[in-house]
Amino acid sequence: MRLHQMLADAVLVLHFGIVAFVVGGLLLVWAGNRAGWHWVNHPWFRALHLAAIGVVAGESWLGMECPLTTLETWLRVQAGLPGLERSFVEHWVSRLLYYRAPGWMFTLAYTVFGLLVLATWWVYPPRWGKNTKMAKMAK
């Protein structure tokens, strides 16, 4: 396997991981609050989660392609791969990650999901621990 193809597969897996963090993060916050898991309300986790969906929604509103998609595509072209030749990783992760639909549907979905994440901040706010810098600043 060529280096560029391996790097493209690595970018694809990273991209999938970010999507899993965005979707799974919200589910973890809901489930974790019901189960009493305090770590799901840690400010850093919640801020990273909000920032991740914020970037995705912002890119969509601006009509930007995700930089990871752009990088993956460029790496595949550098590997000399035609559109239909796929590695095992690309085949399966792409099937889970990429869908065909009008652009406005993605913008709507990302926006609604982002608003849901924001609403979750209100329902389950991040908890500032006694020893965190943010807790000291809030006093």
Side-chain angles (χ1 to χ4, degrees):
M1 188 182 300
R2 296 178 180 173
L3 176 62
H4 285 99
Q5 183 177 359
M6 289 174 33
L7 291 172
D9 287 347
V11 170
L12 182 62
V13 170
L14 172 66
H15 202 175
F16 182 77
I18 292 169
V19 171
F21 171 69
V22 169
V23 175
L26 184 59
L27 298 174
L28 281 172
V29 169
W30 291 344
N33 275 282
R34 291 186 171 254
W37 303 337
H38 299 290
W39 66 268
V40 297
N41 290 317
H42 191 280
W44 286 108
F45 176 76
R46 299 295 295 280
L48 286 172
H49 185 248
L50 181 62
I53 187 59
V55 167
V56 170
E59 288 171 349
S60 183
W61 274 97
L62 295 172
M64 296 173 55
E65 182 175 84
C66 176
L68 292 175
T69 302
T70 303
L71 177 59
E72 179 197 346
T73 301
W74 181 82
L75 287 166
R76 294 202 188 285
V77 168
Q78 297 307 304
L81 297 174
L84 297 177
E85 184 180 324
R86 295 179 164 198
S87 68
F88 176 80
V89 172
E90 181 187 6
H91 175 77
W92 289 106
V93 177
S94 289
R95 293 186 94 182
L96 295 171
L97 194 59
Y98 298 115
Y99 297 94
R100 292 181 192 229
W104 68 267
M105 288 181 73
F106 291 103
T107 300
L108 178 64
Y110 300 151
T111 301
V112 168
F113 196 86
L115 292 172
L116 193 56
V117 170
L118 278 174
T120 301
W121 272 62
W122 181 69
V123 175
Y124 300 117
R127 296 205 179 99
W128 312 103
K130 292 179 183 178
N131 298 324
T132 65
K133 290 180 185 178
M134 297 303 255
K136 292 175 186 174
M137 291 172 44
K139 290 183 181 182

